[in-house]
Structures are given as structure tokens and as C-alpha cells.
């Protein structure tokens, strides 16, 4: 029996690569992307990418997008209530699994597992690896044709100049020692605009760069 999977979608490279990996598994049917959205700003939570760009990603992947609107500010109780509602709706649609693009953070994985316990939906971690393996994973993504933009950086770990840059070998070479090349610990975030998981590239350009909530963000806008 095939697994009917929804992929937790942040808009970044790890989510996109997880989609590519899942689609190469014969017993797995990816039926949609699940994205939390700030209902006030109309942007993806944490990454702050415009919702219209995530909709473009879903269209390029030929998948349904299931947005989960979150209030702003959003308490943990409010988040868990909205997610519980979303999970119930997904179960009614016959979804058996939710996949996550997490790489190696055990506490994050344990939280996902607790959140899904008793829902009838099981978690999947198709990219799960170890910290020493992430440089190789980053190169594998780029070698396969994945293309992304660095949309946010934590200035405690990275210089502002990297925000808005292509996620490529040059950026990887500039990462300070100790920074994960996949940004698994929140050092940076990306938006994936092209790769083998999409039917075509999503035209975007880098707009204004702002400092907000302790991060530097590059506002991506659709390119005409």
C-alpha cells in the first residue's frame, strides 16, 4: 500500500530536496505541501517568503498547497491548536504520513514525533543524516541542479553581505567555521527557485534587505 504523504514546506532548499528524494521512492505518493503562513503579513513563517512565491513553487511541483494560517504574534498554544486542526483535516483526506526536511537535530525530531502521536499520521524524515555529512549533502543538492537564494541570515553567525546571494559553492566557501552548510541550526534560510523537483524555474528577484526580529531578510519578489 502506497504512503500518501504531505511534505512540510518551508520554501527552502531542504524542503525542496526532500520532495525530490520522496518522489524517487516507489511506495510513496506526495500529494501536497503543508506551509504555515503568517496570516497578517501573508508570508511563510520563519522564512518570511511571500505566500504567492510558495504558491508558485507548488504549481511548479504540480502539487496542492495546504496553507496553515497563524496569528501574529503566535503563541505556542495557538500554533499547536492550528496545527491540530490541520492534521485532523489531512487525516480526513486520507493522508498517512507527513515528511519533514530535518537533517540531524534530535530535539526537533522528537517534537515532531510528539506532535503527531495519536493523530493517525506518521512522520517521515527522508533526509535524516549526521552533522559531518551535511557538507556532502549541500554539494549533492547543487550538483543535481538545485538553485536557491539566501533569504535570511542570523548576524550572530553570518555577515549581512550573504543575504540575497545565490546559495552556491561560493557562499559555501565563505561560511565561517562552525556554521552548518545546510543552515540546520538556523544560521540562514533559503528559497528554492529551481531544481529537479520543479517542472520549471520560478522567476524571482531580490528586493529590499531589512533587519527584523534579529535577522537580516532579503525580500524576494516575482520577476516580471
Amino acid at each position: 500500500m502506497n504512503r500518501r504523504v504531505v511534505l512540510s514546506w518551508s520554501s527552502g532548499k531542504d524542503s525542496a530536496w526532500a520532495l525530490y528524494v520522496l518522489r524517487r521512492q516507489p511506495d510513496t505518493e506526495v500529494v501536497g505541501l503543508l506551509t504555515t503562513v503568517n496570516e497578517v503579513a501573508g508570508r511563510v513563517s520563519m522564512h518570511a517568503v511571500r505566500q504567492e512565491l510558495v504558491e508558485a513553487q507548488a504549481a511548479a511541483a504540480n502539487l496542492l498547497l495546504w496553507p496553515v494560517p497563524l496569528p501574529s504574534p503566535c503563541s505556542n498554544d495557538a500554533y499547536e491548536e492550528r496545527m491540530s486542526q490541520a492534521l485532523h483535516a489531512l487525516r480526513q483526506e486520507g493522508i498517512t504520513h507527513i515528511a519533514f526536511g530535518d537533517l540531524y537535530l534530535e530535539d526537533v525530531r522528537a517534537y515532531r514525533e510528539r506532535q503527531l502521536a495519536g493523530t493517525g499520521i506518521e512522520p517521515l524524515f527522508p533526509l535524516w543524516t549526521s552533522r559531518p555529512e551535511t557538507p556532502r549533502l549541500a554539494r549533492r543538492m547543487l550538483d543535481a541542479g538545485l538553485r536557491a537564494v539566501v533569504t535570511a541570515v542570523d548576524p550572530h553567525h553570518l555577515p549581512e553581505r550573504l543575504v540575497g546571494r545565490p546559495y552556491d559553492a561560493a557562499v559555501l566557501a565563505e561560511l565561517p567555521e562552525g556554521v552548518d552548510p545546510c543552515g540546520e541550526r538556523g544560521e540562514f534560510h533559503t528559497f528554492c527557485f529551481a531544481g529537479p523537483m520543479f517542472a520549471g524555474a520560478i522567476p524571482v528577484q531580490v528586493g529590499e534587505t531589512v533587519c527584523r526580529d534579529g535577522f537580516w531578510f532579503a525580500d524576494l519578489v516575482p520577476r516580471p
Side-chain angles (χ1 to χ4, degrees):
M1 179 179 177
N2 282 359
R3 302 182 295 191
R4 286 176 52 81
V5 178
V6 163
L7 174 60
S8 178
W9 189 260
S10 69
S11 80
K13 59 179 176 37
D14 296 338
S15 293
W17 191 247
L19 175 58
Y20 175 72
V21 170
L22 287 166
R23 281 179 157 171
R24 292 165 66 87
Q25 297 177 359
D27 63 340
T28 299
E29 179 189 7
V30 182
V31 298
L33 308 176
L34 185 72
T35 302
T36 55
V37 178
N38 181 317
E39 62 186 4
V40 176
R43 293 175 181 264
V44 177
S45 302
M46 294 298 293
H47 286 224
V49 169
R50 297 169 185 243
Q51 185 172 344
E52 63 189 295
L53 292 180
V54 181
E55 292 168 352
Q57 287 178 317
N62 193 30
L63 288 171
L64 292 173
L65 180 68
W66 276 297
V68 180
L70 299 178
S72 180
C74 184
S75 67
N76 190 61
D77 287 345
Y79 170 79
E80 294 195 350
E81 180 182 356
R82 296 287 179 96
M83 284 302 300
S84 177
Q85 294 169 356
L87 292 173
H88 178 74
L90 291 174
R91 191 71 187 96
Q92 296 300 111
E93 294 290 332
I95 302 304
T96 61
H97 294 76
I98 293 182
F100 301 93
D102 301 312
L103 302 183
Y104 60 80
L105 296 179
E106 294 285 354
D107 57 336
V108 174
R109 178 169 180 152
Y111 174 76
R112 313 280 197 207
E113 292 170 343
R114 287 196 304 271
Q115 191 178 41
L116 291 175
T119 65
I121 298 176
E122 297 181 35
L124 292 175
F125 300 92
L127 305 187
W128 196 253
T129 185
S130 64
R131 170 64 182 88
E133 287 297 312
T134 56
R136 187 177 304 171
L137 175 61
R139 291 193 297 271
R140 190 181 308 134
M141 292 180 191
L142 295 177
D143 289 347
L146 182 146
R147 297 294 177 263
V149 178
V150 178
T151 57
V153 301
D154 182 345
H156 293 99
H157 299 284
L158 293 171
E160 174 196 348
R161 70 173 186 274
L162 295 186
V163 74
R165 291 266 301 275
Y167 178 76
D168 56 15
V171 159
L172 291 178
E174 291 184 45
L175 296 180
E177 185 177 356
V179 170
D180 189 275
C182 291
E184 178 68 351
R185 294 187 295 265
E187 300 99 326
F188 63 91
H189 299 300
T190 60
F191 174 83
C192 182
F193 64 86
M197 65 293 300
F198 295 140
I202 298 149
V204 295
Q205 60 191 26
V206 178
E208 182 184 12
T209 297
V210 299
C211 186
R212 185 177 61 251
D213 300 328
F215 274 73
W216 282 101
F217 291 93
D219 185 22
L220 294 187
V221 295
R223 194 174 68 233

